[in-house]
Amino acid sequence: MAMNDSINILNSAYLAVEYIDSFLPDNPLQQPFKNAWNYMLDNYTKFQIATWGSLIVHEVSYFLLCVPGFIFQFIPYMQKYKIQQDKPETWEKQWKCFKTLLFNHFFIQLPLICGTYYFTEYFNIPYEWEEMPRWYVLVGQCFGCAVIEDAWHYFLHRLLHHKRIYKYIHKVHHEFVSPFGMQAEYAHPLETLILGAGFFIGIVVFCNHVALLWAWVICRLMETIDVHSGYDVPLNPLHLVPFYAGARFHDFHHMNFIGNYASTFTWWDRLFGTDSQFIAYQEKEKKKQCITKK
């Protein structure tokens, strides 16, 4: 009965969004995007699209999303939004991070990306434009992927903090007490495999077009770079996502090496009480601000 009710609710929500979408004006970017997509299909093989296309999407998205945070360090006005103002970024740390990223991207992640084509072939995942889901379906699927990845990340990340394991794997990621955007994927190769596995679970569950692979890559990178940015910028559109953790939530984890284990949402930490120190810290900060204003 509960399952049927859930399905009915989801179907009603889908129909409601579809009805609203019918009143929206045509997207002026849709036709150019369609032309580019069909050009890609006509000129490249599925293996090239799945492998090199996925690599390009990942690399371009990753470093473009890092650009705002990188620029912020040179703008005095933005320093008031930096969470750990006493720990500025250094060229030495950023260069070390960049070199490790290149190794992880091309020697750890690229071999995994090479399996994308075989995954799409095995599950008959379509590439054609006509089979592409509507935008609101992609949004819903990406949200579903985020929920699944967040659960995986919480429990495995918490396990990596166990005293018998931490110094061998996860300690690498915590070399930077004050994180910055580019550091999001700075990790031990084993951690890249362990925590990165959560990314693929949602794909297995939801994927019905190769476009979801790329949409989910962009969404996941947007989230992880934001929470590692070190800046709590106002009017951040990601804060419109229900239960979104954000930069302050994850920055506290890097400051204290404990608690706030989830990647995207706050519910697992709330459920298991692993955000208690963060809540206490926030209350202290509010009291300090009130005293300062007086």
Side-chain angles (χ1 to χ4, degrees):
M1 181 66 71
M3 179 64 73
N4 289 334
D5 290 342
S6 298
I7 292 173
N8 289 334
I9 291 171
L10 289 174
N11 286 336
S12 298
Y14 177 83
L15 291 173
V17 173
E18 194 173 45
Y19 178 74
I20 294 171
D21 182 64
S22 65
F23 290 97
L24 296 177
D26 291 337
N27 184 352
L29 298 177
Q30 181 172 336
Q31 190 59 43
F33 183 67
K34 178 181 178 180
N35 294 338
W37 189 272
N38 286 328
Y39 176 87
M40 177 183 71
L41 293 177
D42 292 338
N43 290 274
Y44 299 97
T45 66
K46 287 185 176 181
F47 179 82
Q48 291 173 323
I49 294 170
T51 304
W52 302 113
S54 297
L55 178 67
I56 291 169
V57 168
H58 180 273
E59 294 305 300
V60 171
S61 299
Y62 191 90
F63 289 106
L64 277 180
L65 290 167
C66 287
V67 168
F70 179 79
I71 295 174
F72 287 168
Q73 65 183 309
F74 305 111
I75 304 176
Y77 176 80
M78 295 304 297
Q79 296 314 300
K80 64 181 179 180
Y81 300 121
K82 184 168 173 59
I83 300 167
Q84 298 186 54
Q85 297 186 7
D86 59 331
K87 296 181 178 67
E89 300 90 340
T90 66
W91 286 109
E92 181 183 1
K93 289 181 178 179
Q94 290 176 94
W95 176 240
K96 181 182 180 181
C97 178
F98 181 71
K99 290 187 294 183
T100 302
L101 278 179
L102 290 182
F103 176 84
N104 284 349
H105 285 182
F106 289 96
F107 291 94
I108 306 298
Q109 295 183 12
L110 180 56
L112 295 176
I113 291 173
C114 287
T116 303
Y117 167 75
Y118 302 100
F119 168 80
T120 59
E121 287 295 293
Y122 183 81
F123 289 101
N124 294 316
I125 305 298
Y127 289 64
E128 291 73 21
W129 173 265
E130 291 74 20
E131 300 291 327
M132 188 176 295
R134 297 298 300 272
W135 65 269
Y136 46 85
V137 176
L138 281 174
V139 169
Q141 290 173 325
C142 286
F143 184 79
C145 287
V147 171
I148 293 172
E149 190 282 332
D150 185 69
W152 175 273
H153 192 101
Y154 176 85
F155 292 104
L156 273 294
H157 183 196
R158 189 172 178 179
L159 178 64
L160 288 177
H161 271 270
H162 191 281
K163 61 183 179 181
R164 293 185 179 179
I165 303 174
Y166 174 78
K167 64 181 179 180
Y168 298 109
I169 301 176
H170 194 51
K171 186 178 180 180
V172 174
H173 184 68
H174 277 281
E175 283 183 27
F176 303 104
V177 177
S178 178
F180 48 90
M182 190 169 58
Q183 187 247 335
E185 291 187 343
Y186 179 89
H188 189 284
L190 277 177
E191 179 174 341
T192 300
L193 293 173
I194 294 169
L195 296 185
F199 172 89
F200 297 99
I201 299 174
I203 292 297
V204 173
V205 174
F206 293 107
C207 194
N208 59 353
H209 196 279
V210 72
L212 175 63
L213 289 167
W214 295 353
W216 172 222
V217 165
I218 295 170
C219 288
R220 178 69 179 111
L221 290 179
M222 191 182 304
E223 176 275 324
T224 192
I225 290 170
D226 176 60
V227 302
H228 284 91
S229 67
Y231 290 84
D232 187 18
V233 180
L235 303 179
N236 184 340
L238 288 175
H239 287 287
L240 296 174
V241 179
F243 301 101
Y244 181 67
R248 284 195 178 275
F249 189 84
H250 193 71
D251 209 278
F252 181 83
H253 175 79
H254 276 265
M255 278 193 286
N256 299 276
F257 307 98
I258 193 170
N260 295 10
Y261 297 111
S263 59
T264 307
F265 305 106
T266 57
W267 49 59
W268 287 112
D269 285 286
R270 289 183 181 179
L271 179 63
F272 291 101
T274 46
D275 64 345
S276 57
Q277 293 189 26
F278 175 66
I279 293 172
Y281 171 78
Q282 283 186 311
E283 291 176 353
K284 287 181 181 178
E285 290 297 307
K286 287 179 181 178
K287 287 180 181 179
K288 285 181 182 179
Q289 292 178 0
C290 290
I291 294 171
T292 303
K293 289 180 180 179
K294 290 180 181 179

